[in-house]
Amino acid sequence: MSMLRLYTRVLELLGKEARLGWILAVANLLLAVAQFAEPVLFGKIVDVLSGKPQSGMLASNSAWPLLAAWVVFGLFTIACSALVALHADKLAHRQRQVVLTDYFEHIMQLPLTFHTGTHSGRLMKVMLNGTDALWRLWLAFFREHFAAILSLVVLLPLALYINWRLAILLFVLCVVFTLLTTFVVRKTYGMQSDVEAQYSDLSARASDALGNVALVQSFVRIDAEVQGLRFVADKLLAAQMPVLGWWALVTVITRASTTITVLAIFTVGIYLHAQGQTTVGEIVMFVSFATMLIQKLEQVVSFINSVFMEAPRLQEFFDVLDAVPAVRDRPGAVDTGRLSGLVEFHDVSFSYDGKRPAVEDVSFTALPGQTIALVGPTGAGKSTAIALLHRAFDPQSGIIKIDGMDIRALKLTALRRNIGVVFQEALLFNRSIADNLLVGKPDATDEEMRVAASRAQALEFIERSEKKFETHAGERGRMLSGGERQRLSIARALLKDPPILILDEATSALDAVTEAKVNAALDEVMKGRTTFVIAHRLSTIRNATRILMFDNGRVIESGTFDELVAMGGRFAELAKAQFMVQENARAGIKVK
């Protein structure tokens, strides 16, 4: 994306604030015109005092009217500048919050495949750095940069009108600045992109270490992680220094050009004055023009530099903002309210890479209230098939129906409102227990939360804590044990009360005692719902209505537990292996 297109997008994100932006643009134009009244009036006053006959629009034989006009323009400039700065601040702050929340909403809607391949620390860094960059550019643009650009547009024609010979010096100065800035931007653009990549690495590495602080401490990795972070920081610094050097060169040349330009104007002005082609007042006027031009060019260079420095951050921001959710509402999608739970898969196939199918030609029907178990080796397609049900992805072929309707004809929110998920890893917010339960039903009463917690075997440990339902769960629920976290996630599903329930290895990481409590809670939550159970422990699906045996993305066997064991196929082998382990364990035989 070119820098011009990038900055156009920055201004497009003003949204509803665009109207105020136009008002500020007009105010900046008035400021640009008013600012040049000062050097013009200054020159005219010098000519009046030196006895030079006056002509033209500001002709006056007395300095007092010119001085009064100077005061008026000065007061206008002060008042207008203050109003522009105030409203530019308000615009930038208001719109930053709007864009930040819009960006957050956007990334929350992106599919799980996007989040799986993108570090959460990087997404946070992109969000905060991107919105901060937008804020800085909006603020600087309307406060000073736009006025500086307009000042150049006003100054050069005005200088030509007053004295074209002296104006040529100002044009030369502008050309030199333009060439120098263009050269430096092209020289350092790739360098700054590398700097931003190093910032992303730094953010991701720090976030990764903090998210695994228990692992870092237990394996005595603190020094190693600090050294790793320091190494990334050193690479960042090494990439940043050449960029800073080039822009420091621009600053030095800018300062030097002030002296050179003023000397040139005096030299040429003295010569022209001797020829009767200019006045002392015009020489003074052009010296003021030159000083002002240098100031405005510095602001323009600062503007280009700020856009250039922010460009990689904004590019990252727009890359994420432009990511289109693979799964979204179709035109005309409907919300049917609560569904009954009839689920049908018809020849459903899906591939992550377009080469090897993750799910292939899967067909089955789950009647309302039935329990369907999905078993098979890791990577067989069980989780992918269920992910297709709640539209984490859409199948490349085939159709999935609920209550006879294609799930793609339903609004995503309507579909997912009818499906509850209890994950293998209990996902909890760093908030109170009540806040985590209310995710299932935001308007639930205290009594409804107590009933759900009781049915999930969670009320006992909640009541034991001093703050009860206001007890903080900690980051990812780390203030609670594994069994407590899992029972809270079951209570959350109970509170949601969905007609369709998905249990994704809900007890695989629990000890025997805790598993018994969680299974009792699961028996409660499964009552009267169409339930899909992904399981490796076959003991947890003994009473399933139907078991689907997956292998290489296909359903190779289907039936009840007893039917599949009687078939003597792959499921029977799996059942036999698990029962042998249990029998050996009871006999006290050590299994290797």
Side-chain angles (χ1 to χ4, degrees):
M1 190 183 298
S2 68
M3 289 186 66
L4 180 61
R5 174 58 187 150
L6 192 70
Y7 201 74
T8 302
R9 290 202 64 181
V10 169
L11 295 179
E12 286 172 354
L13 282 178
L14 285 173
K16 294 180 180 180
E17 298 288 345
R19 182 172 174 272
L20 176 58
W22 279 108
I23 294 173
L24 290 174
V26 172
N28 274 298
L29 178 59
L30 295 175
L31 271 175
V33 173
Q35 285 173 352
F36 289 107
E38 180 176 332
V40 171
L41 290 168
F42 186 22
K44 292 290 184 180
I45 290 173
V46 169
D47 280 341
V48 168
L49 295 178
S50 62
K52 174 73 177 177
Q54 297 296 298
S55 62
M57 186 172 59
L58 296 176
S60 174
N61 293 322
S62 172
W64 293 110
L66 297 173
L67 191 61
W70 192 343
V71 171
V72 171
F73 277 109
L75 291 174
F76 172 78
T77 301
I78 293 169
C80 192
S81 297
L83 289 173
V84 166
L86 173 63
H87 288 288
D89 269 358
K90 289 182 177 180
L91 178 150
H93 279 86
R94 281 198 302 259
Q95 198 58 22
R96 175 172 61 175
Q97 302 310 318
V98 171
V99 173
L100 187 145
T101 51
D102 287 347
Y103 175 92
F104 181 74
E105 180 181 8
H106 174 73
I107 60 175
M108 293 299 288
Q109 291 173 342
L110 291 174
L112 292 177
T113 47
F114 175 87
H115 290 279
T116 301
T118 308
H119 198 285
S120 59
R122 177 182 176 273
L123 285 177
M124 284 295 296
K125 174 252 181 190
V126 169
M127 179 175 73
L128 297 176
N129 282 1
T131 51
D132 282 350
L134 289 169
W135 172 76
R136 284 190 292 269
L137 289 178
W138 287 329
L139 188 62
F141 182 77
F142 288 112
R143 261 190 170 186
E144 55 184 32
H145 291 155
F146 189 50
I149 295 169
L150 289 175
S151 295
L152 297 179
V153 175
V154 173
L155 170 62
L156 297 177
L158 178 64
L160 279 172
Y161 172 76
I162 295 173
N163 190 313
W164 67 268
R165 297 172 182 85
L166 292 175
I168 290 175
L169 296 173
L170 301 182
F171 271 99
V172 170
L173 181 61
C174 287
V175 170
V176 171
F177 256 84
T178 302
L179 293 176
L180 176 64
T181 305
T182 302
F183 173 75
V184 172
V185 166
R186 289 183 176 178
K187 190 78 175 176
T188 56
Y189 187 79
M191 296 179 185
Q192 186 61 30
S193 296
D194 183 48
V195 169
E196 201 55 37
Q198 300 294 342
Y199 268 117
S200 293
D201 290 345
L202 187 71
S203 176
R205 189 175 184 97
S207 177
D208 199 32
L210 290 171
N212 293 283
V213 66
L215 176 67
V216 171
Q217 291 180 353
S218 63
F219 280 81
V220 197
R221 289 276 307 173
I222 294 176
D223 289 342
E225 291 300 321
V226 170
Q227 287 296 331
L229 192 69
R230 186 175 288 120
F231 175 73
V232 176
D234 288 342
K235 286 178 64 180
L236 166 62
L237 199 59
Q240 183 75 78
M241 285 304 178
V243 179
L244 298 177
W246 279 106
W247 285 103
L249 176 63
V250 173
T251 303
V252 170
I253 294 175
T254 300
R255 302 294 182 188
S257 61
T258 304
T259 304
I260 295 171
T261 304
V262 170
L263 285 173
I265 288 174
F266 268 119
T267 302
V268 174
I270 291 170
Y271 172 78
L272 292 176
H273 184 265
Q275 302 295 319
Q277 294 176 333
T278 189
T279 66
V280 175
E282 286 182 355
I283 295 173
V284 172
M285 192 186 304
F286 271 83
V287 169
S288 298
F289 279 166
T291 305
M292 188 174 290
L293 179 62
I294 294 294
Q295 179 188 4
K296 299 305 177 185
L297 285 173
E298 284 182 338
Q299 290 178 353
V300 172
V301 169
S302 172
F303 162 68
I304 295 171
N305 187 24
S306 61
V307 175
F308 164 77
M309 297 293 280
E310 306 289 10
R313 297 168 193 166
L314 291 170
Q315 185 66 63
E316 278 191 317
F317 182 83
F318 286 126
D319 284 345
V320 176
L321 203 60
D322 292 339
V324 179
V327 176
R328 53 188 184 275
D329 285 337
R330 285 184 172 182
V334 298
D335 184 347
T336 59
R338 186 176 178 84
L339 302 169
S340 63
L342 170 63
V343 177
E344 301 168 89
F345 275 60
H346 296 285
D347 299 320
V348 173
S349 295
F350 174 79
S351 172
Y352 290 100
D353 56 11
K355 299 175 182 177
R356 188 178 68 86
V359 171
E360 188 173 11
D361 297 329
V362 171
S363 298
F364 65 86
T365 299
L367 299 177
Q370 288 188 336
T371 298
I372 306 297
L374 292 78
V375 299
T378 301
K382 309 181 297 296
S383 296
T384 301
I386 294 305
L388 293 170
L389 175 59
H390 57 88
R391 292 194 70 193
F393 330 100
D394 280 335
Q396 277 99 22
S397 63
I399 188 171
I400 303 173
K401 294 182 178 181
I402 297 181
D403 291 1
M405 294 176 291
D406 186 341
I407 60 173
R408 289 170 291 192
L410 300 173
K411 289 186 176 180
L412 272 172
T413 52
L415 172 67
R416 291 171 181 171
R417 197 183 302 121
N418 280 277
I419 299 175
V421 184
V422 178
F423 298 96
Q424 179 177 1
E425 178 188 358
L427 304 176
L428 299 178
F429 289 112
N430 186 19
R431 302 168 193 171
S432 69
I433 288 175
D435 287 336
N436 277 284
L437 293 178
L438 289 173
V439 170
K441 186 180 179 182
D443 59 348
T445 64
D446 291 346
E447 184 59 28
E448 286 175 323
M449 282 196 295
R450 287 182 60 84
V451 171
S454 178
R455 291 175 65 192
Q457 311 288 312
L459 188 60
E460 180 185 351
F461 76 80
I462 293 174
E463 295 287 356
R464 277 203 311 266
S465 60
E466 182 180 349
K467 295 184 178 179
K468 298 182 171 49
F469 281 88
E470 293 306 313
T471 301
H472 215 64
E475 185 178 2
R476 297 189 179 185
R478 288 175 180 169
M479 298 295 289
L480 307 171
S481 70
E484 290 171 344
R485 290 196 297 268
Q486 198 62 285
R487 280 176 277 171
L488 278 182
S489 67
I490 294 169
R492 184 170 57 197
L494 275 167
L495 203 57
K496 185 177 182 181
D497 191 27
I500 301 170
L501 181 67
I502 296 171
L503 304 177
D504 187 358
E505 293 285 354
T507 63
S508 63
L510 305 178
D511 61 80
V513 175
T514 305
E515 182 183 3
K517 292 182 179 180
V518 172
N519 279 332
L522 289 174
D523 289 340
E524 186 68 26
V525 78
M526 289 164 63
K527 288 179 181 177
R529 308 178 202 280
T530 306
T531 305
F532 295 89
V533 183
I534 301 173
H536 284 109
R537 294 184 187 179
L538 301 187
S539 58
T540 62
I541 57 167
R542 184 67 179 79
N543 298 319
T545 309
R546 188 187 311 173
I547 299 172
L548 305 177
M549 181 71 190
F550 275 75
D551 189 39
N552 291 323
R554 289 178 171 272
V555 177
I556 58 173
E557 295 174 9
S558 175
T560 64
F561 190 96
D562 293 334
E563 288 171 349
L564 292 178
V565 170
M567 285 171 60
R570 292 283 298 277
F571 182 83
E573 293 176 5
L574 186 61
K576 183 180 178 182
Q578 291 199 16
F579 292 157
M580 284 175 63
V581 169
Q582 291 174 359
E583 290 169 4
N584 291 342
R586 290 194 203 100
I589 301 173
K590 186 176 181 180
V591 180
K592 294 184 179 180

